[in-house]
Amino acid sequence: MVEVYYNNDVNEGALQGKTVAVIGFGSQGHAHALNLKESGVDVIVGLRRGKSWEKAEQEGFNVHEVKEATEKADILMLALPDETQPGIYENQIKPALTAGKSLVFAHGFNIHFSQIQPPSDVNVFMVAPKGPGHIVRRTYESGAGVPALYAIEQDPHGEAKDLALAYAKQIGAGRAGIIATTFREETETDLFGEQAVLCGGTTELVKAGFETLVEAGYQPEVAYFECLHEMKLIVDLMYEGGLEYMRYSISDTAQWGDFQSGKRIITEDTKQEMREILKDIQSGKFAKGWILENQANRPEFNAINQRELEHEITAVGQKLREMMPFVKGDQKGVVSRAEN
Ligand code: NDP
Ligand code: MG
Ligand code: MG
């Protein structure tokens, strides 16, 4: 059975007298830094000069270049994009990472696939909230928390677990549950979930359904509603009460259709392909390809992204969402990317 810790199981004293440097002030970084500070932890922020730097200063933090933050801190949370971490680690963190300091990750990729190899006298652990940064922040402010995974990779002085749990507690995760895992399990299941189900699986399912209806002569706007827009209603029900609550809530006709047709879409072949995808993740083949793609400045990533933006569903969706301002979140980054 899975090992779970709550606030009462955790002694936050492990962080007493220690300085935490949150490196990066994006989605995760801003939430960690603010939650820790409001929990009474001594926090500084490490960044390069730019947008995030200004934002962190406005929030009242002492902001430093990454190397200087590493020198000043006992515990470093790497809240940087995963692809940039190895370079920043090599040039700015490693030179100042002395024995006994702690290197903390919110995702296991760089440790599990050896893109970062810290010295053996440094603590290495993970605190990975199971939600985006703005939810981590918002739930903390409301007195609740987002559950987090924690894992220990290096523990030279026998203190890594206490530090990991205390860190997780102080960002609010102990209010919801802190779950033990390993770097390997977190990394491989995270990659598999996003590739097979959450992102890769869902986008292709939506597009295939949309294309099938449009090719059969139905209006693209109607196809968009049926295959994309309504996805949220179904996913919200699954989120609230699992598959059984979703099925209870939909009509019996929809449920009968689910039973009759779902297995014709996700076949034994699909599942076999999922096993192949998992093998490529476990063997490191996927990671190697992504690392090389980044080293080459992402030629394939950019080409596919452009092709996807040219799909009919993009334009139809943009037009329909204009009619529904209530569904729009903060999409500044998305718009500029589409204009590129
Ligand atoms: P973001 O992309 O939101 O934030 C990146 C931050 O890093 C920005 O503040 C950016 O500052 C800064 N940064 C980028 N490059 C540099 C650099 N060269 N030197 C200094 N600072 C730099 O990252 P996320 O919060 O999404 O991801 C952080 C980690 O959290 C990753 O390991 C990710 O896997 C993990 N994670 C993310 C989740 C999420 O919901 N997003 C969920 C769980 C884990 P600037 O403004 O200067 O660009
Ligand atoms: Mg992921
Ligand atoms: Mg319907």
Side-chain angles (χ1 to χ4, degrees):
M1 192 54 194
V2 72
E3 204 186 306
V4 189
Y5 297 85
Y6 296 94
N7 273 351
N8 286 339
D9 310 319
V10 180
N11 173 15
E12 69 272 18
L15 292 180
Q16 202 98 62
K18 304 222 188 282
T19 299
V20 175
V22 176
I23 311 296
F25 204 74
S27 175
Q28 288 294 316
H30 93 284
H32 290 222
L34 287 164
N35 293 4
L36 288 170
K37 185 170 81 165
E38 286 168 26
S39 294
V41 178
D42 178 22
V43 188
I44 59 174
V45 172
L47 278 169
R48 58 178 170 189
R49 297 262 166 203
K51 231 176 48 215
S52 292
W53 185 298
E54 278 171 35
K55 220 171 124 199
E57 276 189 338
Q58 278 162 15
E59 295 283 0
F61 288 100
N62 286 322
V63 187
H64 307 275
E65 300 283 346
V66 177
K67 182 156 184 287
E68 203 186 328
T70 308
E71 284 160 2
K72 288 185 185 298
D74 306 290
I75 297 169
L76 272 96
M77 164 54 84
L78 290 198
L80 297 161
D82 295 295
E83 317 83 65
T84 68
Q85 289 180 12
I88 296 172
Y89 172 80
E90 210 55 37
N91 300 322
Q92 296 167 72
I93 296 176
K94 196 172 146 195
L97 193 62
T98 48
K101 294 199 180 197
S102 299
L103 204 54
V104 194
F105 292 83
H107 176 40
F109 189 98
N110 284 309
I111 289 292
H112 182 60
F113 292 115
S114 304
Q115 297 306 292
I116 292 177
Q117 295 177 292
S120 59
D121 53 10
V122 161
N123 300 317
V124 179
F125 56 87
M126 180 193 327
V127 177
K130 288 287 94 185
H134 69 276
I135 302 285
V136 173
R137 178 62 186 147
R138 197 198 297 156
T139 52
Y140 178 91
E141 285 181 294
S142 74
V146 168
L149 302 178
Y150 90 93
I152 311 295
E153 183 75 8
Q154 285 185 192
D155 186 17
H157 309 291
E159 59 183 1
K161 182 175 175 182
D162 287 345
L163 290 170
L165 291 177
Y167 186 102
K169 176 177 182 172
Q170 301 298 50
I171 61 170
R175 298 164 177 174
I178 308 162
I179 299 166
T181 184
T182 59
F183 273 67
R184 170 172 181 256
E185 182 175 70
E186 187 275 337
T187 306
E188 293 177 354
T189 56
D190 181 81
L191 291 172
F192 178 82
E194 65 202 19
Q195 291 177 31
V197 182
L198 305 175
C199 308
T202 306
T203 52
E204 290 304 320
L205 185 67
V206 165
K207 279 192 301 171
F210 175 86
E211 287 165 7
T212 304
L213 287 176
V214 172
E215 282 159 18
Y218 297 97
Q219 299 182 77
E221 291 77 7
V222 176
Y224 179 90
F225 275 114
E226 290 302 331
C227 298
L228 187 150
H229 182 79
E230 287 190 21
M231 178 76 85
K232 175 173 163 47
L233 311 176
I234 297 301
V235 171
D236 281 351
L237 293 168
M238 284 165 41
Y239 178 85
E240 287 162 21
L243 299 181
E244 68 275 30
Y245 179 61
M246 184 275 284
R247 284 172 166 158
Y248 159 80
S249 183
I250 62 181
S251 71
D252 286 355
T253 308
Q255 190 173 356
W256 175 240
D258 165 349
F259 293 158
Q260 290 300 303
S261 301
K263 289 269 182 227
R264 295 172 64 181
I265 300 298
I266 306 299
T267 62
E268 186 47 39
D269 283 351
T270 315
K271 196 149 166 221
Q272 182 49 37
E273 203 55 42
M274 285 188 175
R275 292 188 200 102
E276 299 296 325
I277 289 169
L278 184 57
K279 266 191 227 156
D280 287 349
I281 291 168
Q282 291 169 329
S283 71
K285 187 176 167 194
F286 170 80
K288 193 173 164 197
W290 177 224
I291 291 160
L292 289 174
E293 176 71 9
N294 276 291
Q295 284 167 357
N297 289 322
R298 304 189 171 190
E300 194 177 345
F301 180 97
N302 291 332
I304 297 172
N305 195 44
Q306 191 52 44
R307 202 164 68 226
E308 287 291 307
L309 288 171
E310 284 159 12
H311 192 284
E312 187 181 5
I313 201 168
T314 306
V316 172
Q318 285 179 355
K319 200 176 72 191
L320 286 176
R321 291 190 304 275
E322 289 297 325
M323 295 160 49
M324 304 181 286
F326 56 90
V327 304
K328 275 201 164 178
D330 175 7
Q331 300 186 2
K332 275 175 243 141
V334 182
V335 174
S336 68
R337 197 185 270 182
E339 284 164 352
N340 275 338

